[in-house]
Amino acid sequence: MAGLFTWMWDWLLWIFWATEMDVTIVGLQNAGKTSLVRVLAGNEFTVDTLPTVAFNKKEVKKGHVSIKCWDLGGQPRFRSMWERYCRGVNAIVFVVDATDKDAVPVAREELHALFSKPTLEAIPLLVLGNKSDLPEKLSVDELIDQLDLKSIKHREISCYGISAKEETNLQAVLEWLVKFSHK
């Protein structure tokens, strides 16, 4: 009986007090953006995820917050559209393959080019070093340094190491996003 009451209470809260937010997820190709969104949405991790062409949209629910995730392609031909999908969102998530040290300078360049756009001023940024379950990954401190995150101003910035495959730190990611659902 208590389970039914809890379910009804949650349903009423969802109907009358639900909050929606938009989040754009960007990063270079093969960083794990689509895998991250799939796992956050409650689906299984798959090794054979196809590269995103243009964008995907998935909805993730956390408590009484519905998060619309815009997963944008990371290939060079899609990077010019990142800014358009980042305008007016509650938060931007930048995913980096923490094991691909050769790609980090390109990721830094793309990240700083994106956040130089006046249309994105003040939008919170969450940087995720994905594949933290693998050896030879960059630490969070190394990512902060190599991506030069301290030079990005006028916004809230956080950086976490995650593993979409092992679901490491994904609860912290959701909690960070929900924090910005009312902004």
Side-chain angles (χ1 to χ4, degrees):
M1 190 61 152
L4 178 62
F5 177 75
T6 302
W7 178 85
M8 293 237 343
W9 178 250
D10 285 343
W11 181 77
L12 287 170
L13 286 173
W14 181 254
I15 294 296
F16 295 107
W17 292 286
T19 300
E20 289 188 359
M21 68 181 295
D22 288 297
V23 171
T24 302
I25 301 172
V26 295
L28 303 184
Q29 67 273 16
N30 300 318
K33 300 175 300 295
T34 301
S35 294
L36 171 65
V37 173
R38 284 182 47 80
V39 172
L40 287 175
N43 297 311
E44 293 289 318
F45 175 85
T46 58
V47 179
D48 58 350
T49 301
L50 296 172
T52 301
V53 176
F55 68 89
N56 290 317
K57 183 181 147 200
K58 277 238 191 260
E59 199 161 320
V60 175
K61 292 192 186 319
K62 167 71 176 156
H64 306 296
V65 178
S66 175
I67 306 168
K68 284 187 266 177
C69 297
W70 298 90
D71 166 24
L72 304 184
Q75 297 86 347
R77 70 180 187 264
F78 298 123
R79 295 176 195 163
S80 62
M81 69 183 218
W82 287 359
E83 187 242 348
R84 183 178 19 187
Y85 283 91
C86 288
R87 289 183 208 147
V89 297
N90 297 82
I92 298 169
V93 177
F94 192 88
V95 181
V96 179
D97 179 344
T99 66
D100 190 352
K101 294 174 180 142
D102 294 335
V104 173
V106 178
R108 179 182 58 240
E109 186 178 310
E110 293 294 342
L111 176 69
H112 285 270
L114 181 64
F115 282 96
S116 70
K117 311 283 191 221
T119 54
L120 305 183
E121 190 167 309
I123 296 175
L125 168 63
L126 177 59
V127 176
L128 300 176
N130 192 24
K131 305 180 186 179
S132 67
D133 56 306
L134 299 176
E136 307 300 317
K137 81 238 174 230
L138 294 170
S139 70
V140 169
D141 288 338
E142 290 169 319
L143 278 173
I144 290 169
D145 183 49
Q146 292 186 28
L147 293 172
D148 194 18
L149 294 182
K150 292 180 180 172
S151 72
I152 299 174
K153 305 292 183 206
H154 310 295
R155 73 189 73 247
E156 168 106 14
I157 300 176
S158 290
C159 183
Y160 297 149
I162 65 157
S163 170
K165 180 180 180 182
E166 300 295 326
E167 300 187 21
T168 306
N169 266 352
L170 298 189
Q171 188 63 33
V173 168
L174 285 171
E175 288 169 9
W176 190 93
L177 291 172
V178 168
K179 181 169 73 171
F180 295 101
S181 63
H182 298 291
K183 297 193 183 223

